[in-house]
Every structure is written in structure tokens, then in C-alpha cells.
Amino acid sequence: MPEPGSRHEPRWSAAEIEAFFARPVAEVAPDLLGSEVVCGHVRLLLTEVEAYAGLADPASHSYRGRTSRNAVMFGPPGRVYVYLSYGVHWAVNLVCQGDGDPAAVLLRAGRVLSGHDRARAHRGDVPDHRLARGPGNLTSALGVNGPMTGTTLWSGPMRWQPSPREAAVAEVRSGPRVGVSLAADVEWRFWLAGDDTVSSYRRSTRA
DNA sequence: CACTAGATGCTCT
DNA sequence: GAGCATCTAGTGA
């Protein structure tokens, strides 16, 4: 939780956060690099994300319409969409755009800024740069889980704040999304160049 | 480091 | 039943 007086105290209101995520998902995704999420005692700087749109994006969970799993994507922006991947790992998305226009950004990797001991308690004995490398590892490090789906980024268990103004913005790279068999060449994966917390690219064997 | 194989169980057809 | 928005351990260079 942010402590008063620290540089991590909230800078944006709920309305400002909602407006940030109300934009087109492919614009929001690269803007998230360098911003921070907090859950429990773990704080993370985002280093790798992927954009998923709706009806125009065959790789998106919302492509084939609303289901019980993806319902949150169809709601207002600034919410958390959590789903179970491969029946084993939680993955977390931030809902973008607006009501009825489903889109979200998948959080793929981050650098743990504080709470290393808590993150390691969830993840086991791995080096710092691997604590939150990969979508499943990221949620594990943060302690994010399924029941958190639908909560807001300003009043829920997982909070988000933009990059500190003084933060030096590293170079952003983009490329195809990891592991998708449809729209496998759409370059909607974004990461910070040269960062060792970024996961490695794997193309779907079906693509 | 690069690459591969197999476990895993939920979601949707 | 098919297909996963994945991970780790294992191999070999």
C-alpha cells in the first residue's frame, strides 16, 4: 500500500485512471511500460505487455463474443480481468476502451521494485529478474488470483499508477504476441529494450 | 544460451 | 474432445 509522503503515493484520481484506459488498446499498451502496479506488499514496474482487442482481433478472448469468463472485458475500463491459463496459471489484464468495446492489455512481465521477500515466498528461490518474468509468474509474484477479476485499479486489491514524471523512459520495442495461433504476426507485444525481466518470444506451433 | 517435450485442467464447441 | 494469451526441467552446444 502506498505510504503518505513517499514518491509512490497516488498521483492520479479514479477518473484520471479510467480516462487513461478508455483509449484504444494499442495506444494504452506501450504507455503502460514503466508504470507501476501494487498488490499486497509487492510493487512492480511493468516491462512487457500485450494488447488484445475485441471483434477485430482473432487472438482476443472477446473475439467470439461475451462469455462468463471474459465478461469483464465488455465492461468499463480500468478494471482487472483475471483468467486461468492452461488450467494452472493466473494471468492478469487491464481492461481498456469502453463499455461494449472489449479490449485489454495482458501484463507479461515486470521488475520487482519492493516486496522481494513476499514475491519470493510465492515464487520460490529464483533470481530477482525472474520473479515476474512471464504472465503466470507475474501474477504469482504479486499474489493476484481469479477472485480479483472485475475489481478497479484504484479501489481493488491491485492498484495502478502512472510512471513517475522523473522516470527516464527506456526505448520501447514491439513485435508479435507470444503463443497466439491466430493473428500471429500482429505486432502488439511491447517491451522495454534490453531489459532482463522480459520473457522470451515463442511462436505458437500452430501459427 | 537455444530448443524441446510434457504436465496441467479449464473453457468453449 | 480440442485447444489453449504457460511453465519448468531436460538436453545439447
Side-chain angles (χ1 to χ4, degrees), chain A residues 110-168:
Chain A
R111 176 174 302 285
V112 176
L113 297 178
S114 62
H116 296 77
D117 50 341
R118 298 302 190 100
R120 193 161 278 112
H122 299 140
R123 283 277 294 122
D125 187 19
V126 297
D128 284 0
H129 73 279
R130 289 198 168 218
L131 282 172
R133 185 164 96 161
N137 292 332
L138 181 146
T139 56
S140 177
L142 284 172
V144 165
N145 54 29
M148 294 181 187
T149 201
T151 57
T152 71
L153 289 171
W154 52 88
S155 66
M158 188 177 103
R159 307 291 174 94
W160 175 87
Q161 281 290 316
S163 309
R165 185 173 297 174
E166 67 273 18

Side-chain angles (χ1 to χ4, degrees), chain A residues 3-41:
Chain A
E3 294 176 9
S6 80
R7 77 179 186 89
H8 297 304
E9 71 181 292
R11 292 175 293 278
W12 281 17
S13 67
E16 288 172 313
I17 294 173
E18 198 167 43
F20 175 89
F21 287 98
R23 297 176 298 139
V25 68
E27 295 180 18
V28 174
D31 287 352
L32 285 172
L33 298 174
S35 69
E36 298 177 13
V37 294
V38 184
C39 188
H41 295 267

Side-chain angles (χ1 to χ4, degrees), chain A residues 3 5 16 35 49 54 72 80 86 88 94 100 113 127 132 158 162 164 178 194:
Chain A
E3 294 176 9
E16 288 172 313
S35 69
V49 298
V72 174
V80 166
Y86 289 84
V88 183
L94 310 185
L113 297 178
M158 188 177 103
V178 174

